[in-house]
Amino acid sequence: MAELEKKLKKAIENDKASSLLENLSKVSCLIIDEVGHCDPLNGRESNLFFQILDNRYDKGKGSTVFTSNMKPSEWRPLFFNASVARCALDRIMDRCIAIDIRGASYRGQQKNVFKISTSSVPEVTGLNLYQ
């Protein structure tokens, strides 16, 4: 999402919004990762993002995948105003398959933990010197 935010901003600044809209409206699978973890979109960025979602919704040419640690109901601050947020979420949620994953994260499961004891004889655990 942060990368998309930068693309929206740059496209608007460089008068390339229609080109970005056309390109992102027709990709077969648009993945927007970490929704809600970026700066809020200003009015023009918010409207362009909505237009992309609306085009993808109307044309039905591809899938749009959103990932977030936040519920969609918590995405409101991303948008410039409540009206645009409501319209965008209406299109996102209309024909969606929502998967709510709960439980422990898989990140960090392959980490190495080393513990050094400062007793009279130094002891290091977590190292296998015979690998």
Side-chain angles (χ1 to χ4, degrees):
M1 186 67 212
E3 182 182 337
L4 178 58
E5 175 202 4
K6 289 176 188 170
K7 287 184 183 220
L8 295 170
K9 187 179 304 279
K10 186 175 180 180
I12 291 167
E13 288 172 359
N14 296 326
D15 201 27
K16 303 274 185 185
S18 60
S19 176
L20 181 66
L21 173 62
E22 183 180 332
N23 289 336
L24 292 181
S25 295
K26 65 183 181 183
V27 297
S28 60
C29 183
L30 177 62
I31 300 172
I32 304 173
D33 190 29
E34 296 294 350
V35 175
H37 295 285
C38 69
D39 292 333
L41 303 175
N42 69 29
R44 293 179 71 198
E45 296 161 358
S46 199
N47 286 330
L48 180 55
F49 183 46
F50 169 75
Q51 289 176 338
I52 292 165
L53 296 176
D54 188 52
N55 279 4
R56 295 183 64 73
Y57 175 83
D58 284 343
K59 296 192 180 14
K61 289 190 174 186
S63 300
T64 307
V65 178
F66 299 90
T67 71
S68 182
N69 289 332
M70 301 166 64
K71 297 175 188 174
S73 60
E74 298 171 336
W75 295 357
R76 161 58 190 100
L78 172 67
F79 296 93
F80 182 70
N81 64 44
S83 176
V84 175
R86 197 171 28 258
C87 290
L89 287 169
D90 182 55
R91 280 145 183 86
I92 292 168
M93 301 306 286
D94 181 42
R95 297 182 288 226
C96 79
I97 298 171
I99 302 171
D100 185 0
I101 301 172
R102 296 176 187 254
S105 173
Y106 284 98
R107 291 185 178 121
Q109 290 187 359
Q110 296 181 4
K111 68 179 180 273
N112 292 316
V113 177
F114 303 98
K115 183 177 176 182
I116 299 174
S117 174
T118 58
S119 62
S120 59
V121 178
E123 177 185 347
V124 177
T125 62
L127 286 176
N128 185 351
L129 301 175
Y130 303 104
Q131 285 185 336

